[in-house]
Amino acid sequence: MTESLPSPQLLLALHALRDRAMAARSLNALAFSMANDLYQLLPFHQALVFKSHGKAQELLCVSGLAKPTEDSPYLIWLNEMSRWLDVQVSGDEPVWLARAALNLPENLQEGWAEWWPEGVFCVPMQHEDGTRLGLFCLLREDAPPAALLPLLSSLWQTWAYCWQSLTHSPRLLRWRPSRRQLALLTMAAGVMLLIPIRQSALAPAEIVSRTSQVISSPLAGVIQQMEVRPNQQVTAGTPLFRLDETTLRNRAEVLTQEVGVADAELLAASQRAFDNPQSRRELTLLTGRAQQKRAELAGVELQLSRSQVNAPSDGVAVFSDVNDWLGKPVVTGERILLLADPRQPAMRIQLPVADAIALEAGADVTLFLSAYPLQPLRGKILETSYQAQPGAEGVVSYRLLASIEDAPPHARLGLHGTAKLYGERVLLGYYLLRRPLAALRAWSGL
């Protein structure tokens, strides 16, 4: 004879209880569902949900009520009773505890007789690793029907799974150090702060030439033509740029005519000087005027010869763009471009004041180029600026110049990157707290 199947209403009710448990978004919501929703299937006097904290038990929910917050006599007794129940339910299977069959401690007998019925049905909530999550207790006059318990086992498992999911945290976060472990960690941290390390700082850097020559305008005028392109390799004597000569050539032509007129007047006065005493007195004045015009003409011709600027030595022409200079008026001594020697590269480093450390000439520097991050350049500091000045981006920085060892082929002029500067050895605690201490002193004024 086959066993009778459970009724559809019972299966639907169990399914609804599992759905409510899965829909809970917090442990308190799950505990409220556990304490109140089971009454339709399994009537009880009262349902209690406890959360385990080692040997202590925390009351999460009481059926029909919100979580109690006041220390009533019942809650004080219930606190002691929950610890005793946790010891009695040692396994992972539900247990029916009848008062008549138990050897209760004297401090619990009176409270049970006053507040609880004849028995309590205890369902342990277990973690998958076997640890106790909590305890679910039903206060009843008799044990639950034996035919119903196999169907309710899936509900217990669902509650345990939801409980574990809502309280799950990484093992590292669950670890709480003891006082001894905390003292050891504090001592280890203190010892680590005394480890000497080398102080360092990061700063933007650029590859420049150590022997750059400034090519400036020899006279006031307008640039007519740039003879070279940016970063072009030039040799000594190569034309670099040329100034407009229109004004100077017109001036030279006028002075040439004035020199001719002065010479003619001087010749006529010289011929008249034989028989005219007044002409002899004018000879000195006319001679000085002719010499003055010749000197002015020689000066203009010298300026014409300097209107085209040639490279004084071999190098690379460093400037921004040709169109920035065409037709631009310049004054005497204004810098037009740099003539850099690519055979002597160096690092020009802009160290912000906020990141500045104690650096001396000869300190090590490592440059990581943006174009070649896996091929760092190494060198040593050659010179440092005495005073910090604002840069192009408005950041006040110290300017440092460092050498480049061996001058590899990829150390081309104009490349940018990040330089790491190495200073003196300091304690790890000072290295970590230097910036916070400086900010604190700036804020507090101590």
Side-chain angles (χ1 to χ4, degrees):
M1 185 176 181
T2 58
E3 296 181 359
S4 60
L5 298 176
S7 63
Q9 293 79 4
L10 177 60
L11 295 178
L12 290 176
L14 288 173
H15 184 70
L17 289 177
R18 287 194 291 265
D19 288 345
R20 293 174 188 173
M22 297 294 291
R25 293 293 178 265
S26 65
L27 183 58
N28 290 331
L30 176 64
F32 184 84
S33 176
M34 294 168 60
N36 295 276
D37 296 340
L38 187 61
Y39 185 82
Q40 298 177 356
L41 293 180
L42 187 61
F44 49 79
H45 287 274
Q46 193 177 61
L48 304 169
V49 181
F50 297 96
K51 181 180 179 182
S52 296
H53 296 283
K55 296 182 179 180
Q57 303 295 319
E58 177 189 358
L59 179 62
L60 293 181
C61 189
V62 179
S63 59
L65 298 175
K67 180 181 177 180
T69 56
E70 57 184 15
D71 294 335
S72 62
Y74 175 66
L75 292 182
I76 297 175
W77 174 84
L78 192 60
N79 186 26
E80 299 180 2
M81 188 64 184
S82 62
R83 290 197 296 268
W84 183 83
L85 287 176
D86 185 63
V87 175
Q88 303 305 312
V89 185
S90 58
D92 56 356
E93 295 294 332
V95 177
W96 168 253
L97 300 176
R99 183 180 60 175
L102 297 175
N103 185 16
L104 287 172
E106 294 182 0
N107 59 337
L108 300 178
Q109 291 179 2
E110 184 179 355
W112 188 316
E114 181 179 357
W115 290 305
W116 278 15
E118 292 300 322
V120 56
F121 182 65
C122 300
V123 182
M125 298 289 113
Q126 301 289 118
H127 194 277
E128 60 181 4
D129 60 3
T131 57
R132 179 69 57 86
L133 295 174
L135 194 63
F136 175 64
C137 299
L138 291 177
L139 307 183
R140 290 173 51 88
E141 295 292 344
D142 53 1
L148 188 60
L149 292 180
L151 298 177
L152 292 176
S153 62
S154 62
L155 181 61
W156 314 143
Q157 295 175 4
T158 302
W159 284 351
Y161 173 79
C162 295
W163 194 314
Q164 177 181 341
S165 300
L166 294 173
T167 58
H168 174 73
S169 60
R171 186 175 299 275
L172 182 60
L173 297 180
R174 297 199 304 265
W175 177 70
R176 294 293 183 269
S178 62
R179 292 185 178 180
R180 181 179 179 183
Q181 291 174 337
L182 188 60
L184 292 176
L185 289 175
T186 304
M187 293 177 59
V191 172
M192 290 181 63
L193 293 179
L194 300 178
I195 298 176
I197 63 171
R198 197 168 186 182
Q199 196 174 11
S200 61
L202 298 177
E206 178 187 5
I207 296 182
V208 297
S209 177
R210 195 187 307 179
T211 57
S212 300
Q213 299 183 47
V214 177
I215 306 300
S216 58
S217 176
L219 49 96
V222 176
I223 295 181
Q224 182 180 8
Q225 181 66 35
M226 295 295 294
E227 304 291 347
V228 294
R229 307 295 299 178
N231 298 329
Q232 178 180 336
Q233 184 82 29
V234 298
T235 58
T238 302
L240 298 178
F241 63 92
R242 185 174 66 254
L243 298 174
D244 186 20
E245 301 177 351
T246 302
T247 303
L248 292 176
R249 290 190 180 278
N250 293 337
R251 179 63 177 164
E253 292 179 2
V254 172
L255 289 175
T256 301
Q257 297 297 329
E258 291 180 355
V259 168
V261 172
D263 288 343
E265 290 178 351
L266 179 60
L267 178 60
S270 299
Q271 292 176 352
R272 294 193 304 268
F274 290 102
D275 55 359
N276 189 349
Q278 185 178 358
S279 298
R280 287 197 297 269
R281 289 193 297 269
E282 295 177 353
L283 281 177
T284 303
L285 178 61
L286 294 175
T287 301
R289 183 180 299 173
Q291 293 177 352
Q292 178 185 358
K293 296 300 180 181
R294 284 191 176 86
E296 292 179 1
L297 178 60
V300 173
E301 290 176 346
L302 178 61
Q303 289 182 341
L304 280 172
S305 65
R306 298 173 60 188
S307 62
Q308 178 170 302
V309 179
N310 299 328
S313 60
D314 298 345
V316 175
V318 179
F319 61 101
S320 57
D321 188 11
V322 173
N323 297 323
D324 293 343
W325 293 103
L326 292 180
K328 180 180 179 180
V330 295
V331 297
T332 303
E334 182 176 352
R335 189 179 78 172
I336 308 300
L337 54 87
L338 287 176
L339 191 62
D341 187 359
R343 296 169 297 180
Q344 298 183 4
M347 308 177 199
R348 185 173 62 193
I349 305 169
Q350 301 287 344
L351 180 60
V353 173
D355 298 329
I357 59 176
L359 295 171
E360 300 293 340
D364 295 331
V365 180
T366 302
L367 175 60
F368 299 92
L369 295 173
S370 301
Y372 303 94
L374 300 181
Q375 302 178 24
L377 305 177
R378 306 186 186 280
K380 296 183 180 299
I381 292 180
L382 299 176
E383 59 184 39
T384 61
S385 62
Y386 176 76
Q387 187 176 6
Q389 297 180 351
E393 298 180 355
V395 179
V396 181
S397 307
Y398 294 99
R399 177 172 295 184
L400 293 79
L401 186 67
S403 63
I404 297 179
E405 297 178 355
D406 302 330
H410 64 278
R412 294 186 290 106
L413 302 181
L415 293 181
H416 290 256
T418 301
K420 187 173 185 179
L421 302 97
Y422 298 92
E424 302 175 351
R425 289 190 174 275
V426 296
L427 298 180
L428 178 60
Y430 174 81
Y431 182 83
L432 296 176
L433 300 177
R434 180 178 65 90
R435 293 288 294 273
L437 288 176
L440 178 63
R441 294 193 62 181
W443 175 76
S444 62
L446 298 178

